Amino acid sequence: NEAVKMYSARWQKFMKQMDAFSDSLAMTTDGRSDHLMEELRQRLENVLATGTFDEALEHFFTMSFKIGQVKRMAKDLDAMCTAVHDLLVSEMALLIDALLLRLGSLLALARLGHQAKGIGLDEAHIEEVIKLCEQFALCVMDTARLVTQRAAQLRAFFVFIVRAQIVAEDGDAHGPSLPAPRVDLVQSFLQEVFRVRARDSLATATGMISE
């Protein structure tokens, strides 16, 4: 899906900018990547508690990644999540349903016994394929629900960032143009994102040691 690829590339660009920012925190830590990620997470959680940036975050979000860029990123990622959800629900799930119907017809033929021997249908094999398709269908729907959840987290995260940017620019962060803040969604997003990034950093470090 070309739309998914395009939005994914934009997300990767944003994460590279965040990586560059986290690298700049080495001046206040011992330089270990796990400490850098932990400090960045704590800084963002402090913003969540206070509604304002510290000096380093304010510089990044007012100079390197300005409010217009944040809003475009939020829009792109929301569109990406919608495209992925539609792909899963409107295309893949329907294909699996159609496949299950065909397999059900083949299973009915296989159960006819002697009438099916001439076309090589095996009831046990067809039942196994049906089970695999049903499991895949559940995975598709679980993934669709996860995409919906992540989309809500991303919307909350970018609202949180934009509010802090408005405060940094001496504006009114409680204006009618922004949705109500969802602290719970932002917290869950930060926990999940930084848990994954810490795991990736550990895997990278382990790989370098093994080499």
Side-chain angles (χ1 to χ4, degrees):
N1 190 297
E2 292 302 319
V4 173
K5 290 180 181 178
M6 177 184 70
Y7 293 126
S8 179
R10 293 181 183 178
W11 170 253
Q12 293 301 321
K13 182 178 179 181
F14 167 70
M15 292 312 296
K16 285 181 180 178
Q17 289 178 296
M18 291 300 291
D19 285 339
F21 169 71
S22 65
D23 289 343
S24 71
L25 298 179
M27 293 182 295
T28 57
T29 67
D30 61 9
R32 286 174 49 186
S33 60
D34 56 340
H35 284 192
L36 295 176
M37 287 296 98
E38 176 62 17
E39 180 169 341
L40 179 53
R41 182 185 66 79
Q42 290 177 355
R43 284 172 182 255
L44 288 170
E45 288 184 345
N46 287 339
V47 178
L48 189 59
T50 64
T52 58
F53 293 128
D54 61 28
E55 184 176 352
L57 282 173
E58 181 172 333
H59 183 270
F60 177 75
F61 281 110
T62 58
M63 301 299 293
S64 301
F65 202 62
K66 299 180 181 180
I67 192 168
Q69 294 170 284
V70 172
K71 288 182 176 180
R72 281 194 296 273
M73 176 61 70
K75 184 178 179 180
D76 286 347
L77 288 176
D78 196 65
M80 181 182 73
C81 289
T82 300
V84 171
H85 187 273
D86 288 346
L87 178 66
L88 291 168
V89 175
S90 302
E91 296 185 31
M92 292 188 68
L94 291 180
L95 286 173
I96 295 171
D97 286 344
L99 179 58
L100 283 170
L101 284 175
R102 290 180 179 273
L103 288 169
S105 298
L106 290 175
L107 182 60
L109 286 174
R111 285 173 175 169
L112 291 176
H114 67 280
Q115 296 182 26
K117 290 179 181 178
I119 54 177
L121 293 176
D122 184 286
E123 183 177 346
H125 288 168
I126 295 173
E127 287 178 339
E128 185 63 27
V129 174
I130 288 175
K131 287 180 181 178
L132 290 174
C133 286
E134 289 173 341
Q135 291 172 0
F136 185 52
L138 289 175
C139 288
V140 167
M141 297 313 297
D142 284 344
T143 303
R145 283 191 289 270
L146 180 62
V147 170
T148 300
Q149 176 186 345
R150 184 50 55 89
Q153 291 175 337
L154 283 166
R155 292 187 196 107
F157 172 74
F158 283 113
V159 167
F160 144 68
I161 291 296
V162 169
R163 283 182 180 278
Q165 286 177 308
I166 292 173
V167 170
E169 296 175 359
D170 299 323
D172 179 11
H174 300 284
S177 62
L178 289 174
R182 286 291 306 273
V183 175
D184 57 327
L185 291 177
V186 179
Q187 287 176 330
S188 62
F189 175 74
L190 292 176
Q191 289 170 2
E192 291 178 24
V193 167
F194 283 95
R195 182 172 63 247
V196 170
R197 290 174 68 76
R199 184 186 62 203
D200 291 344
S201 296
L202 180 60
T204 302
T206 303
M208 292 174 65
I209 292 172
S210 63
E211 292 175 0

Short mmCIF file of all heavy atoms in Angstrom, two decimals, residues 47-48 50-53 61 67 70-71 155-183 186:
data_model
loop_
_atom_site.label_atom_id
_atom_site.label_comp_id
_atom_site.label_asym_id
_atom_site.label_seq_id
_atom_site.Cartn_x
_atom_site.Cartn_y
_atom_site.Cartn_z
N VAL A 47 6.90 17.34 31.13
CA VAL A 47 6.07 18.25 30.35
C VAL A 47 4.60 17.90 30.54
O VAL A 47 3.73 18.77 30.66
CB VAL A 47 6.45 18.20 28.86
CG1 VAL A 47 5.55 19.14 28.05
CG2 VAL A 47 7.91 18.59 28.65
N LEU A 48 4.32 16.59 30.57
CA LEU A 48 2.95 16.13 30.75
C LEU A 48 2.40 16.61 32.09
O LEU A 48 1.22 16.96 32.21
CB LEU A 48 2.91 14.60 30.68
CG LEU A 48 1.55 13.92 30.62
CD1 LEU A 48 0.76 14.40 29.41
CD2 LEU A 48 1.71 12.41 30.60
N THR A 50 3.59 19.30 33.91
CA THR A 50 3.62 20.74 34.10
C THR A 50 2.97 21.54 32.97
O THR A 50 2.57 22.69 33.16
CB THR A 50 5.08 21.23 34.23
OG1 THR A 50 5.78 20.97 32.98
CG2 THR A 50 5.79 20.50 35.36
N GLY A 51 2.91 20.92 31.78
CA GLY A 51 2.36 21.63 30.63
C GLY A 51 3.34 22.55 29.94
O GLY A 51 3.00 23.24 28.98
N THR A 52 4.60 22.55 30.40
CA THR A 52 5.63 23.41 29.80
C THR A 52 6.90 22.61 29.55
O THR A 52 7.20 21.66 30.25
CB THR A 52 5.97 24.60 30.71
OG1 THR A 52 6.41 24.11 31.99
CG2 THR A 52 4.74 25.48 30.91
N PHE A 53 7.66 23.05 28.53
CA PHE A 53 8.93 22.41 28.19
C PHE A 53 10.04 22.86 29.13
O PHE A 53 10.02 23.98 29.65
CB PHE A 53 9.36 22.79 26.76
CG PHE A 53 8.49 22.25 25.67
CD1 PHE A 53 7.96 23.08 24.71
CD2 PHE A 53 8.20 20.89 25.61
CE1 PHE A 53 7.17 22.59 23.68
CE2 PHE A 53 7.41 20.37 24.58
CZ PHE A 53 6.89 21.23 23.63
N PHE A 61 11.54 21.90 20.15
CA PHE A 61 10.19 22.01 19.62
C PHE A 61 9.82 23.41 19.17
O PHE A 61 8.71 23.62 18.66
CB PHE A 61 9.17 21.50 20.65
CG PHE A 61 9.08 20.00 20.69
CD1 PHE A 61 9.54 19.29 21.78
CD2 PHE A 61 8.53 19.29 19.62
CE1 PHE A 61 9.46 17.91 21.83
CE2 PHE A 61 8.45 17.91 19.66
CZ PHE A 61 8.91 17.21 20.75
N ILE A 67 5.78 24.03 15.47
CA ILE A 67 4.38 23.65 15.62
C ILE A 67 3.74 23.25 14.29
O ILE A 67 2.94 22.29 14.24
CB ILE A 67 3.59 24.79 16.30
CG1 ILE A 67 2.20 24.29 16.72
CG2 ILE A 67 3.51 26.02 15.42
CD1 ILE A 67 1.49 25.26 17.65
N VAL A 70 4.85 19.74 13.56
CA VAL A 70 4.18 18.79 14.46
C VAL A 70 2.76 18.52 13.97
O VAL A 70 2.32 17.36 13.93
CB VAL A 70 4.16 19.33 15.91
CG1 VAL A 70 3.30 18.45 16.79
CG2 VAL A 70 5.58 19.39 16.46
N LYS A 71 2.05 19.56 13.58
CA LYS A 71 0.67 19.39 13.11
C LYS A 71 0.63 18.57 11.82
O LYS A 71 -0.26 17.72 11.64
CB LYS A 71 0.01 20.75 12.91
CG LYS A 71 -0.33 21.47 14.21
CD LYS A 71 -1.04 22.79 13.93
CE LYS A 71 -1.45 23.46 15.25
NZ LYS A 71 -2.15 24.75 15.02
N ARG A 155 -2.77 10.79 18.56
CA ARG A 155 -3.51 12.05 18.57
C ARG A 155 -3.32 12.77 19.91
O ARG A 155 -3.08 13.98 19.94
CB ARG A 155 -5.01 11.78 18.34
CG ARG A 155 -5.35 11.28 16.95
CD ARG A 155 -6.85 11.20 16.75
NE ARG A 155 -7.18 10.37 15.59
CZ ARG A 155 -7.69 9.15 15.65
NH1 ARG A 155 -7.97 8.62 16.84
NH2 ARG A 155 -7.96 8.47 14.56
N ALA A 156 -3.42 12.01 21.00
CA ALA A 156 -3.25 12.60 22.33
C ALA A 156 -1.83 13.14 22.51
O ALA A 156 -1.63 14.21 23.08
CB ALA A 156 -3.57 11.57 23.41
N PHE A 157 -0.83 12.39 22.01
CA PHE A 157 0.56 12.80 22.16
C PHE A 157 0.81 14.12 21.43
O PHE A 157 1.44 15.03 21.98
CB PHE A 157 1.48 11.71 21.61
CG PHE A 157 2.93 12.11 21.55
CD1 PHE A 157 3.70 12.19 22.71
CD2 PHE A 157 3.53 12.41 20.33
CE1 PHE A 157 5.03 12.56 22.65
CE2 PHE A 157 4.87 12.78 20.28
CZ PHE A 157 5.62 12.85 21.44
N PHE A 158 0.32 14.24 20.21
CA PHE A 158 0.59 15.46 19.44
C PHE A 158 -0.21 16.65 19.98
O PHE A 158 0.27 17.78 19.92
CB PHE A 158 0.30 15.22 17.96
CG PHE A 158 1.39 14.45 17.26
CD1 PHE A 158 1.16 13.17 16.79
CD2 PHE A 158 2.65 14.99 17.11
CE1 PHE A 158 2.17 12.45 16.17
CE2 PHE A 158 3.67 14.28 16.49
CZ PHE A 158 3.42 13.01 16.02
N VAL A 159 -1.40 16.41 20.51
CA VAL A 159 -2.13 17.50 21.17
C VAL A 159 -1.33 18.01 22.37
O VAL A 159 -1.20 19.22 22.60
CB VAL A 159 -3.53 17.02 21.63
CG1 VAL A 159 -4.16 18.02 22.60
CG2 VAL A 159 -4.44 16.83 20.43
N PHE A 160 -0.77 17.08 23.12
CA PHE A 160 0.06 17.41 24.28
C PHE A 160 1.29 18.24 23.88
O PHE A 160 1.62 19.24 24.51
CB PHE A 160 0.44 16.08 24.97
CG PHE A 160 1.79 15.99 25.58
CD1 PHE A 160 2.14 16.72 26.69
CD2 PHE A 160 2.72 15.10 25.06
CE1 PHE A 160 3.39 16.59 27.27
CE2 PHE A 160 3.97 14.96 25.62
CZ PHE A 160 4.31 15.72 26.74
N ILE A 161 1.94 17.85 22.79
CA ILE A 161 3.11 18.59 22.31
C ILE A 161 2.71 19.98 21.81
O ILE A 161 3.36 20.99 22.14
CB ILE A 161 3.82 17.81 21.18
CG1 ILE A 161 4.48 16.54 21.74
CG2 ILE A 161 4.88 18.69 20.50
CD1 ILE A 161 5.58 16.78 22.75
N VAL A 162 1.64 20.04 21.03
CA VAL A 162 1.21 21.33 20.48
C VAL A 162 0.80 22.29 21.60
O VAL A 162 1.11 23.48 21.55
CB VAL A 162 0.04 21.13 19.48
CG1 VAL A 162 -0.60 22.47 19.12
CG2 VAL A 162 0.54 20.44 18.22
N ARG A 163 0.13 21.78 22.62
CA ARG A 163 -0.25 22.64 23.76
C ARG A 163 1.00 23.25 24.41
O ARG A 163 1.03 24.44 24.72
CB ARG A 163 -1.03 21.83 24.79
CG ARG A 163 -2.48 21.57 24.42
CD ARG A 163 -3.20 20.81 25.52
NE ARG A 163 -4.59 20.54 25.19
CZ ARG A 163 -5.58 21.40 25.35
NH1 ARG A 163 -5.34 22.59 25.87
NH2 ARG A 163 -6.81 21.08 25.02
N ALA A 164 2.02 22.41 24.62
CA ALA A 164 3.26 22.90 25.23
C ALA A 164 3.96 23.89 24.31
O ALA A 164 4.57 24.87 24.77
CB ALA A 164 4.18 21.74 25.57
N GLN A 165 3.88 23.66 22.99
CA GLN A 165 4.49 24.61 22.05
C GLN A 165 3.77 25.95 22.10
O GLN A 165 4.42 27.01 22.04
CB GLN A 165 4.43 24.04 20.63
CG GLN A 165 5.43 22.90 20.37
CD GLN A 165 5.29 22.33 18.98
OE1 GLN A 165 4.21 21.97 18.56
NE2 GLN A 165 6.41 22.24 18.26
N ILE A 166 2.46 25.93 22.21
CA ILE A 166 1.70 27.18 22.30
C ILE A 166 2.09 27.94 23.57
O ILE A 166 2.27 29.17 23.54
CB ILE A 166 0.18 26.89 22.27
CG1 ILE A 166 -0.22 26.36 20.90
CG2 ILE A 166 -0.61 28.15 22.61
CD1 ILE A 166 -1.66 25.88 20.81
N VAL A 167 2.23 27.22 24.68
CA VAL A 167 2.66 27.86 25.93
C VAL A 167 4.04 28.47 25.75
O VAL A 167 4.31 29.59 26.21
CB VAL A 167 2.66 26.84 27.09
CG1 VAL A 167 3.33 27.44 28.32
CG2 VAL A 167 1.24 26.42 27.42
N ALA A 168 4.94 27.73 25.08
CA ALA A 168 6.31 28.23 24.86
C ALA A 168 6.31 29.50 24.03
O ALA A 168 7.22 30.34 24.16
CB ALA A 168 7.15 27.16 24.18
N GLU A 169 5.29 29.65 23.18
CA GLU A 169 5.18 30.85 22.35
C GLU A 169 4.27 31.90 22.99
O GLU A 169 3.79 32.81 22.32
CB GLU A 169 4.66 30.47 20.96
CG GLU A 169 5.62 29.56 20.20
CD GLU A 169 5.05 29.08 18.88
OE1 GLU A 169 3.89 29.45 18.57
OE2 GLU A 169 5.75 28.35 18.16
N ASP A 170 3.99 31.73 24.32
CA ASP A 170 3.17 32.67 25.08
C ASP A 170 1.74 32.76 24.57
O ASP A 170 1.10 33.82 24.62
CB ASP A 170 3.80 34.08 25.07
CG ASP A 170 5.18 34.08 25.73
OD1 ASP A 170 5.36 33.34 26.71
OD2 ASP A 170 6.06 34.80 25.23
N GLY A 171 1.24 31.61 24.10
CA GLY A 171 -0.15 31.58 23.64
C GLY A 171 -1.06 30.90 24.64
O GLY A 171 -0.64 30.52 25.74
N ASP A 172 -2.33 30.74 24.25
CA ASP A 172 -3.34 30.12 25.11
C ASP A 172 -3.49 28.66 24.70
O ASP A 172 -4.06 28.34 23.65
CB ASP A 172 -4.68 30.85 24.96
CG ASP A 172 -5.77 30.21 25.82
OD1 ASP A 172 -5.43 29.35 26.66
OD2 ASP A 172 -6.95 30.56 25.63
N ALA A 173 -2.97 27.75 25.53
CA ALA A 173 -3.01 26.32 25.21
C ALA A 173 -4.38 25.71 25.44
O ALA A 173 -4.59 24.53 25.14
CB ALA A 173 -1.97 25.57 26.05
N HIS A 174 -5.32 26.47 25.97
CA HIS A 174 -6.65 25.93 26.26
C HIS A 174 -7.70 26.50 25.32
O HIS A 174 -8.89 26.53 25.64
CB HIS A 174 -7.03 26.23 27.71
CG HIS A 174 -6.06 25.64 28.70
ND1 HIS A 174 -6.04 24.31 29.01
CD2 HIS A 174 -5.05 26.22 29.42
CE1 HIS A 174 -5.07 24.07 29.90
NE2 HIS A 174 -4.46 25.21 30.16
N GLY A 175 -7.25 26.93 24.14
CA GLY A 175 -8.18 27.48 23.16
C GLY A 175 -9.09 26.41 22.59
O GLY A 175 -8.85 25.21 22.75
N PRO A 176 -10.16 26.83 21.93
CA PRO A 176 -11.17 25.89 21.43
C PRO A 176 -10.70 25.03 20.26
O PRO A 176 -11.38 24.08 19.89
CB PRO A 176 -12.32 26.81 21.00
CG PRO A 176 -11.65 28.10 20.65
CD PRO A 176 -10.51 28.23 21.62
N SER A 177 -9.57 25.35 19.64
CA SER A 177 -9.13 24.63 18.44
C SER A 177 -8.51 23.27 18.76
O SER A 177 -8.34 22.45 17.86
CB SER A 177 -8.12 25.48 17.66
OG SER A 177 -6.96 25.72 18.44
N LEU A 178 -8.17 23.02 20.01
CA LEU A 178 -7.52 21.76 20.38
C LEU A 178 -8.48 20.85 21.16
O LEU A 178 -9.27 21.33 21.97
CB LEU A 178 -6.28 22.03 21.24
CG LEU A 178 -5.08 22.65 20.53
CD1 LEU A 178 -3.99 22.98 21.55
CD2 LEU A 178 -4.52 21.71 19.47
N PRO A 179 -8.38 19.52 20.92
CA PRO A 179 -9.19 18.59 21.71
C PRO A 179 -8.77 18.61 23.17
O PRO A 179 -7.70 19.10 23.52
CB PRO A 179 -8.87 17.22 21.08
CG PRO A 179 -8.22 17.52 19.77
CD PRO A 179 -7.55 18.85 19.92
N ALA A 180 -9.62 18.07 24.02
CA ALA A 180 -9.29 17.98 25.44
C ALA A 180 -8.09 17.05 25.63
O ALA A 180 -7.96 16.05 24.93
CB ALA A 180 -10.49 17.45 26.22
N PRO A 181 -7.19 17.38 26.55
CA PRO A 181 -6.01 16.54 26.76
C PRO A 181 -6.38 15.18 27.35
O PRO A 181 -7.27 15.08 28.18
CB PRO A 181 -5.17 17.35 27.75
CG PRO A 181 -6.16 18.25 28.45
CD PRO A 181 -7.23 18.54 27.45
N ARG A 182 -5.69 14.13 26.89
CA ARG A 182 -5.89 12.78 27.41
C ARG A 182 -4.57 12.30 28.00
O ARG A 182 -3.75 11.68 27.33
CB ARG A 182 -6.35 11.84 26.30
CG ARG A 182 -7.79 12.04 25.88
CD ARG A 182 -8.77 11.60 26.97
NE ARG A 182 -8.53 10.24 27.41
CZ ARG A 182 -9.06 9.16 26.81
NH1 ARG A 182 -9.87 9.31 25.77
NH2 ARG A 182 -8.80 7.95 27.27
N VAL A 183 -4.35 12.61 29.26
CA VAL A 183 -3.09 12.27 29.93
C VAL A 183 -2.85 10.77 29.93
O VAL A 183 -1.73 10.30 29.74
CB VAL A 183 -3.09 12.83 31.37
CG1 VAL A 183 -1.85 12.37 32.12
CG2 VAL A 183 -3.17 14.35 31.35
N VAL A 186 -1.44 9.62 26.60
CA VAL A 186 -0.05 10.07 26.41
C VAL A 186 0.89 9.22 27.26
O VAL A 186 1.95 8.80 26.79
CB VAL A 186 0.10 11.56 26.77
CG1 VAL A 186 1.57 11.98 26.59
CG2 VAL A 186 -0.79 12.42 25.89
#
